[in-house]
Amino acid sequence: MSTARERILEATEELLATKDALAISTRAICDRAKVGMPEIYRQFGDKQGLLTAVADIGFERFLAAKRRNPLTDDPVADLRTAWDSHVAFALRNPYLYRLMFTPTGDAKPQAIKEAQAILLKAVERCRDAGRLRTTPELAGRSILSANVGVCMMALSFPDLFGDSEISTAVRDAVIGQVTGDEREDTRIGTATVLAQALVGTLTGTAPVSVAAALDRLTGAPRPPAGTSEP
Protein backbone atom coordinates (compact mmCIF):
# COMPACT_ATOMS: atom_id res chain seq x y z
CA MET A 1 0.00 0.00 0.00
CA SER A 2 1.37 3.44 -0.95
CA THR A 3 2.30 5.93 1.73
CA ALA A 4 0.82 9.41 2.07
CA ARG A 5 4.05 10.88 0.69
CA GLU A 6 3.93 8.64 -2.38
CA ARG A 7 0.28 9.47 -3.03
CA ILE A 8 0.95 13.20 -2.78
CA LEU A 9 3.87 12.97 -5.22
CA GLU A 10 1.85 10.85 -7.63
CA ALA A 11 -1.14 13.22 -7.44
CA THR A 12 1.07 16.23 -8.14
CA GLU A 13 2.68 14.54 -11.14
CA GLU A 14 -0.74 13.61 -12.53
CA LEU A 15 -1.96 17.20 -12.22
CA LEU A 16 1.26 18.46 -13.84
CA ALA A 17 0.40 16.45 -16.94
CA THR A 18 -2.27 18.99 -17.84
CA LYS A 19 -1.43 22.28 -16.12
CA ASP A 20 1.38 24.48 -14.89
CA ALA A 21 2.65 24.04 -11.32
CA LEU A 22 1.52 27.54 -10.34
CA ALA A 23 -2.03 26.67 -11.41
CA ILE A 24 -2.22 23.60 -9.17
CA SER A 25 -3.67 24.23 -5.72
CA THR A 26 -2.69 22.32 -2.62
CA ARG A 27 -6.40 21.54 -2.18
CA ALA A 28 -6.50 19.83 -5.58
CA ILE A 29 -3.41 17.82 -4.68
CA CYS A 30 -4.85 16.74 -1.35
CA ASP A 31 -8.20 15.79 -2.88
CA ARG A 32 -6.51 13.67 -5.52
CA ALA A 33 -4.14 12.05 -3.02
CA LYS A 34 -6.94 11.58 -0.47
CA VAL A 35 -5.00 13.22 2.35
CA GLY A 36 -5.63 16.16 4.64
CA MET A 37 -4.02 19.52 3.93
CA PRO A 38 -1.59 19.30 6.89
CA GLU A 39 -0.03 16.19 5.34
CA ILE A 40 1.71 18.23 2.63
CA TYR A 41 3.36 20.43 5.26
CA ARG A 42 4.24 17.39 7.38
CA GLN A 43 5.91 15.60 4.47
CA PHE A 44 7.42 18.47 2.48
CA GLY A 45 7.44 21.59 4.64
CA ASP A 46 5.33 23.59 2.17
CA LYS A 47 4.11 23.53 -1.42
CA GLN A 48 7.50 24.67 -2.71
CA GLY A 49 9.15 21.74 -0.97
CA LEU A 50 6.67 19.42 -2.66
CA LEU A 51 7.33 20.93 -6.09
CA THR A 52 11.08 20.60 -5.59
CA ALA A 53 10.60 16.91 -4.74
CA VAL A 54 8.54 16.44 -7.92
CA ALA A 55 11.20 18.25 -9.97
CA ASP A 56 13.81 15.85 -8.55
CA ILE A 57 11.67 12.91 -9.72
CA GLY A 58 11.48 14.52 -13.15
CA PHE A 59 15.26 14.84 -13.24
CA GLU A 60 15.62 11.17 -12.33
CA ARG A 61 13.63 10.24 -15.42
CA PHE A 62 15.38 12.81 -17.55
CA LEU A 63 18.83 11.57 -16.54
CA ALA A 64 17.82 7.93 -16.97
CA ALA A 65 16.91 8.74 -20.56
CA LYS A 66 20.25 10.53 -21.00
CA ARG A 67 22.14 7.49 -19.81
CA ARG A 68 20.33 5.37 -22.40
CA ASN A 69 21.59 7.50 -25.28
CA PRO A 70 23.83 5.29 -27.43
CA LEU A 71 27.53 6.04 -27.84
CA THR A 72 29.07 5.81 -31.30
CA ASP A 73 32.51 6.43 -32.77
CA ASP A 74 31.48 10.03 -33.52
CA PRO A 75 31.29 12.05 -30.27
CA VAL A 76 29.93 15.14 -32.05
CA ALA A 77 27.07 13.12 -33.54
CA ASP A 78 26.41 11.81 -30.03
CA LEU A 79 26.09 15.41 -28.79
CA ARG A 80 23.41 16.00 -31.41
CA THR A 81 21.58 12.85 -30.33
CA ALA A 82 21.71 14.01 -26.70
CA TRP A 83 20.31 17.41 -27.73
CA ASP A 84 17.42 15.78 -29.60
CA SER A 85 16.56 13.48 -26.68
CA HIS A 86 16.53 16.52 -24.37
CA VAL A 87 14.05 18.31 -26.63
CA ALA A 88 11.90 15.18 -26.93
CA PHE A 89 11.66 14.90 -23.14
CA ALA A 90 10.61 18.55 -22.86
CA LEU A 91 7.90 18.19 -25.48
CA ARG A 92 6.54 15.03 -23.82
CA ASN A 93 6.51 16.64 -20.36
CA PRO A 94 5.96 20.39 -20.87
CA TYR A 95 4.75 21.38 -17.40
CA LEU A 96 7.15 19.08 -15.58
CA TYR A 97 10.03 20.37 -17.71
CA ARG A 98 9.21 23.97 -16.84
CA LEU A 99 9.15 23.05 -13.17
CA MET A 100 12.54 21.34 -13.49
CA PHE A 101 14.34 24.14 -15.31
CA THR A 102 12.60 27.26 -13.94
CA PRO A 103 12.44 26.59 -10.19
CA THR A 104 11.18 29.30 -7.88
CA GLY A 105 12.22 30.03 -4.33
CA ASP A 106 15.47 29.04 -2.66
CA ALA A 107 15.15 25.27 -3.12
CA LYS A 108 16.70 24.18 -6.42
CA PRO A 109 16.77 20.64 -7.85
CA GLN A 110 20.26 19.32 -7.21
CA ALA A 111 20.13 16.92 -10.15
CA ILE A 112 20.98 19.76 -12.54
CA LYS A 113 24.58 19.18 -11.49
CA GLU A 114 24.41 15.57 -12.64
CA ALA A 115 22.90 16.70 -15.94
CA GLN A 116 25.91 18.99 -16.34
CA ALA A 117 28.28 16.16 -15.43
CA ILE A 118 26.80 13.84 -18.05
CA LEU A 119 27.10 16.53 -20.70
CA LEU A 120 30.65 17.32 -19.60
CA LYS A 121 31.68 13.71 -20.20
CA ALA A 122 30.16 13.86 -23.67
CA VAL A 123 32.04 17.08 -24.45
CA GLU A 124 35.29 15.64 -23.09
CA ARG A 125 34.97 12.83 -25.65
CA CYS A 126 34.97 15.54 -28.33
CA ARG A 127 38.08 17.09 -26.78
CA ASP A 128 39.84 13.74 -26.66
CA ALA A 129 39.04 13.28 -30.35
CA GLY A 130 40.56 16.69 -31.12
CA ARG A 131 37.21 18.22 -31.96
CA LEU A 132 36.72 20.97 -29.39
CA ARG A 133 37.52 24.67 -29.76
CA THR A 134 37.09 25.72 -26.13
CA THR A 135 37.22 24.19 -22.67
CA PRO A 136 34.85 21.29 -21.96
CA GLU A 137 33.30 23.21 -19.07
CA LEU A 138 32.42 26.25 -21.17
CA ALA A 139 31.27 24.14 -24.10
CA GLY A 140 29.02 22.08 -21.84
CA ARG A 141 27.43 25.14 -20.22
CA SER A 142 26.92 26.77 -23.62
CA ILE A 143 25.23 23.70 -25.09
CA LEU A 144 22.99 23.12 -22.08
CA SER A 145 21.95 26.78 -21.92
CA ALA A 146 21.03 26.80 -25.61
CA ASN A 147 19.26 23.44 -25.36
CA VAL A 148 17.10 24.59 -22.45
CA GLY A 149 16.44 27.90 -24.21
CA VAL A 150 15.17 26.18 -27.34
CA CYS A 151 12.87 23.98 -25.25
CA MET A 152 11.49 26.91 -23.26
CA MET A 153 10.75 28.91 -26.39
CA ALA A 154 9.08 25.93 -28.05
CA LEU A 155 6.89 25.34 -24.99
CA SER A 156 6.05 28.99 -24.39
CA PHE A 157 5.58 30.09 -28.01
CA PRO A 158 4.81 26.92 -30.03
CA ASP A 159 3.44 28.84 -33.02
CA LEU A 160 6.67 30.79 -33.41
CA PHE A 161 9.32 28.38 -32.13
CA GLY A 162 7.70 24.94 -32.10
CA ASP A 163 8.99 23.90 -35.51
CA SER A 164 11.51 21.07 -35.16
CA GLU A 165 13.72 22.73 -37.78
CA ILE A 166 14.45 25.56 -35.35
CA SER A 167 15.80 23.11 -32.77
CA THR A 168 17.91 21.41 -35.43
CA ALA A 169 19.27 24.71 -36.74
CA VAL A 170 20.22 26.00 -33.29
CA ARG A 171 21.65 22.60 -32.34
CA ASP A 172 23.94 22.54 -35.36
CA ALA A 173 24.95 26.18 -34.89
CA VAL A 174 25.84 25.82 -31.21
CA ILE A 175 27.50 22.41 -31.37
CA GLY A 176 29.22 23.34 -34.62
CA GLN A 177 30.60 26.51 -33.07
CA VAL A 178 32.18 24.79 -30.06
CA THR A 179 33.44 21.75 -31.99
CA GLY A 180 34.45 23.34 -35.28
CA ASP A 181 31.92 21.13 -37.04
CA GLU A 182 29.83 23.87 -38.68
CA ARG A 183 27.41 22.79 -41.35
CA GLU A 184 26.21 24.77 -44.33
CA ASP A 185 22.49 25.14 -43.72
CA THR A 186 19.96 26.85 -45.97
CA ARG A 187 17.64 27.25 -42.99
CA ILE A 188 19.91 29.76 -41.25
CA GLY A 189 17.60 32.34 -39.72
CA THR A 190 16.91 34.29 -36.57
CA ALA A 191 17.39 31.43 -34.10
CA THR A 192 20.63 30.23 -35.69
CA VAL A 193 22.23 33.65 -36.07
CA LEU A 194 21.47 34.56 -32.47
CA ALA A 195 22.72 31.19 -31.23
CA GLN A 196 26.00 31.63 -33.10
CA ALA A 197 26.44 35.12 -31.66
CA LEU A 198 25.58 33.99 -28.14
CA VAL A 199 27.98 31.04 -28.11
CA GLY A 200 30.65 33.11 -29.82
CA THR A 201 30.31 35.74 -27.10
CA LEU A 202 30.66 33.06 -24.42
CA THR A 203 33.69 31.48 -26.05
CA GLY A 204 35.32 34.63 -27.38
CA THR A 205 35.28 33.32 -30.96
CA ALA A 206 32.38 35.29 -32.48
CA PRO A 207 33.09 37.94 -35.14
CA VAL A 208 29.90 39.80 -34.10
CA SER A 209 28.12 40.48 -30.82
CA VAL A 210 24.56 39.49 -29.99
CA ALA A 211 23.50 43.11 -30.48
CA ALA A 212 25.17 43.22 -33.89
CA ALA A 213 23.48 39.95 -34.83
CA LEU A 214 20.12 41.47 -33.98
CA ASP A 215 20.91 44.44 -36.19
CA ARG A 216 21.94 42.13 -38.98
CA LEU A 217 18.61 40.34 -38.75
CA THR A 218 16.47 43.46 -38.54
CA GLY A 219 18.51 45.60 -40.89
CA ALA A 220 18.71 48.35 -38.29
CA PRO A 221 22.13 50.11 -38.09
CA ARG A 222 23.51 50.78 -34.63
CA PRO A 223 24.78 54.25 -33.72
CA PRO A 224 28.57 54.70 -33.56
CA ALA A 225 30.27 53.98 -30.28
CA GLY A 226 29.89 56.79 -27.78
CA THR A 227 26.59 58.01 -29.20
CA SER A 228 23.08 57.25 -28.11
CA GLU A 229 20.01 56.48 -30.13
CA PRO A 230 17.52 59.31 -30.54
Side-chain angles (χ1 to χ4, degrees):
M1 184 175 180
S2 59
T3 65
R5 182 183 180 87
E6 290 169 339
R7 293 199 305 276
I8 292 170
L9 289 170
E10 182 178 355
T12 307
E13 287 186 81
E14 290 172 352
L15 291 168
L16 270 173
T18 59
K19 61 178 65 177
D20 187 77
L22 294 178
I24 299 174
S25 68
T26 52
R27 172 55 63 190
I29 295 170
C30 291
D31 289 347
R32 196 177 192 94
K34 295 181 171 55
V35 299
M37 189 79 73
E39 197 64 36
I40 286 183
Y41 300 95
R42 185 177 300 116
Q43 297 289 340
F44 302 97
D46 54 19
K47 182 183 177 183
Q48 186 56 53
L50 167 59
L51 293 177
T52 299
V54 173
D56 283 332
I57 292 174
F59 266 111
E60 288 176 9
R61 296 174 184 168
F62 174 77
L63 294 173
K66 285 287 186 186
R67 297 186 194 100
R68 290 195 295 269
N69 286 336
L71 296 181
T72 70
D73 293 334
D74 186 342
V76 177
D78 292 345
L79 278 180
R80 297 192 189 98
T81 297
W83 176 292
D84 292 342
S85 70
H86 183 134
V87 173
F89 179 92
L91 297 180
R92 287 196 308 270
N93 307 276
Y95 300 110
L96 177 60
Y97 184 86
R98 281 199 187 97
L99 176 62
M100 290 163 54
F101 285 95
T102 56
T104 59
D106 295 331
K108 310 292 184 185
Q110 294 301 302
I112 187 66
K113 296 178 181 178
E114 186 174 351
Q116 286 182 299
I118 290 175
L119 180 55
L120 180 61
K121 288 182 180 179
V123 174
E124 286 174 341
R125 291 183 64 228
C126 296
R127 178 201 59 193
D128 295 343
R131 299 177 69 183
L132 196 64
R133 284 177 166 176
T134 185
T135 65
E137 292 78 12
L138 183 53
R141 292 199 302 271
S142 301
I143 293 170
L144 184 57
S145 297
N147 208 171
V148 173
V150 162
C151 292
M152 288 299 182
M153 294 301 281
L155 295 179
S156 300
F157 305 98
D159 292 342
L160 292 174
F161 298 96
D163 192 322
S164 62
E165 286 194 349
I166 292 178
S167 174
T168 301
V170 177
R171 179 200 70 189
D172 291 346
V174 173
I175 293 177
Q177 183 73 20
V178 300
T179 65
D181 195 38
E182 292 95 343
R183 296 178 170 188
E184 197 66 34
D185 194 333
T186 58
R187 297 164 306 174
I188 293 293
T190 302
T192 307
V193 172
L194 288 176
Q196 289 173 327
L198 173 61
V199 176
T201 298
L202 290 171
T203 60
T205 59
V208 296
S209 66
V210 174
L214 281 169
D215 291 339
R216 171 180 161 191
L217 291 167
T218 61
R222 294 189 68 79
T227 65
S228 59
E229 296 189 26

